Amino acid sequence: APRPSHGCGSGALLGRFGVLLQALLALCAFSTLMLKRFKEPKAERRPWRIWFYDTSKQAIGALFIHFANVFLSDLTEEDPCSLYLINFILDATLGMLLIWLGVKVVSWIVQHKKYTYLVFGEYGDPPQAAAWIGQCILYLLIMVFEKTVISLVLLIPGWTKLQQILLGYIPNPQLELVLVMLVVPFIVNAIMFWVVDSLIMRKYKQKDTLDINGSIETPRVRRTEESQVLLSPDMDFDQSESDQDISGLQGTHQKMKQPSYQVVI
């Protein structure tokens, strides 16, 4: 493909070298999620199935964002590498804020509506694949919203100058491709995956317990109910048995107080 005066040419992102870099990026980026799992405390470490359910949502969302950026970068005759980098930087800054807001809003809605299995990180006991599919759909909708907003931001004039500043000084197109598709995305994706995984995973320290009927029971409520049970009088206590015990004790006490007489002949 013809290459402009600077940067990589059209179709370079989907070329053989570009695809190889993307596969290496996916392997390195998702290895950070595995590292995060082993960094979790042993008492709170997720089973592999739950970890797969959590991280696969990010994998689907990241693949959608990646291919959307590749598609948008080839729409114009500009340098696709610098366009991809601009998209990626916006996804890592403004997009990260949009993802955080989306997760918070969706979590509030599903908890308010008591859709138990749509709460991020809650899959039931035993874990249900239907809950995982529903959460994947919700997370993908959040990513579609985020990418739509970022695409609208890119319509603002003035990005061409930033595009020339970012990578215009690199003469080698393959070096530019390595920086755009491997080095910068790996560093930023590692941070993003770590943060988003903490947002959508099940909270163990201050999480609410969701039963199958959809009601929410907090640890504070459980402690209050337990204290009421411990402090409440026992209505089934047998009063007659208690009276007999008390009277028996009194009789024994009186017998101990009676004087003893000894007849001396």
Side-chain angles (χ1 to χ4, degrees):
R3 189 171 67 88
S5 57
H6 67 277
C8 57
S10 177
L13 299 180
L14 294 177
R16 182 178 300 177
F17 186 63
V19 172
L20 178 62
L21 291 177
Q22 294 173 46
L24 185 59
L25 170 65
L27 179 63
C28 295
F30 282 102
S31 63
T32 60
L33 292 175
M34 187 173 296
L35 176 63
K36 182 179 182 296
R37 179 187 179 273
F38 288 110
K39 286 291 185 179
E40 297 171 358
K42 290 184 177 180
E44 302 176 5
R45 186 172 297 171
R46 292 167 288 179
W48 283 110
R49 186 176 181 181
I50 301 298
W51 177 85
F52 170 77
Y53 282 170
D54 288 340
T55 56
S56 59
K57 292 194 288 286
Q58 284 206 72
I60 295 172
L63 287 175
F64 168 77
I65 293 296
H66 172 74
F67 287 112
N69 289 340
V70 171
F71 174 75
L72 293 174
S73 300
D74 280 331
L75 285 180
T76 63
E77 297 180 355
E78 301 292 335
D79 177 16
C81 289
S82 56
L83 281 176
Y84 181 89
L85 185 60
I86 291 174
N87 274 279
F88 187 80
I89 292 174
L90 288 175
D91 288 329
T93 52
L94 178 60
M96 191 66 205
L97 177 61
L98 294 174
I99 293 172
W100 179 80
L101 289 175
V103 170
K104 292 296 183 182
V105 170
V106 169
S107 298
W108 180 84
I109 292 175
V110 297
Q111 289 186 5
H112 182 70
K113 297 293 184 180
K114 296 182 179 180
Y115 298 146
T116 304
Y117 289 136
L118 292 181
V119 177
F120 287 121
E122 294 285 348
Y123 306 104
D125 188 17
Q128 302 292 326
W132 168 68
I133 294 174
Q135 293 177 32
C136 285
I137 295 174
L138 285 180
Y139 187 74
L140 186 59
L141 290 176
I142 293 174
M143 303 305 288
V144 171
F145 166 74
E146 182 267 343
K147 196 64 226 176
T148 303
V149 175
I150 296 300
S151 300
L152 294 176
V153 172
L154 282 173
L155 296 178
I156 301 174
W159 292 106
T160 305
K161 295 181 179 179
L162 179 61
Q163 176 183 342
Q164 295 175 357
I165 294 174
L166 287 176
L167 299 172
Y169 59 88
I170 299 177
N172 190 342
Q174 289 189 342
L175 177 60
E176 182 177 346
L177 198 59
V178 170
L179 290 175
V180 171
M181 300 297 294
L182 182 61
V183 178
V184 177
F186 169 69
I187 298 173
V188 179
N189 272 331
I191 300 173
M192 288 182 63
F193 287 165
W194 199 290
V195 173
V196 174
D197 186 61
S198 300
L199 285 175
I200 63 177
M201 68 179 290
R202 183 181 182 183
K203 304 301 184 295
Y204 287 89
K205 293 183 179 180
Q206 296 179 349
K207 73 179 184 67
D208 294 339
T209 301
L210 304 175
D211 61 18
I212 196 169
N213 295 324
S215 61
I216 301 177
E217 183 183 5
T218 61
R220 181 178 298 177
V221 173
R222 291 198 302 272
R223 289 195 298 268
T224 304
E225 292 178 353
E226 291 173 357
S227 61
Q228 290 177 355
V229 171
L230 291 175
L231 295 177
S232 62
D234 191 358
M235 301 303 296
D236 296 332
F237 184 76
D238 192 350
Q239 187 67 27
S240 61
E241 293 181 358
S242 64
D243 294 339
Q244 292 176 0
D245 294 339
I246 294 174
S247 61
L249 291 174
Q250 291 178 352
T252 305
H253 184 66
Q254 291 177 358
K255 290 179 181 180
M256 293 177 64
K257 287 185 176 180
Q258 289 179 357
S260 60
Y261 298 95
Q262 184 176 6
V263 178
V264 178
I265 299 176

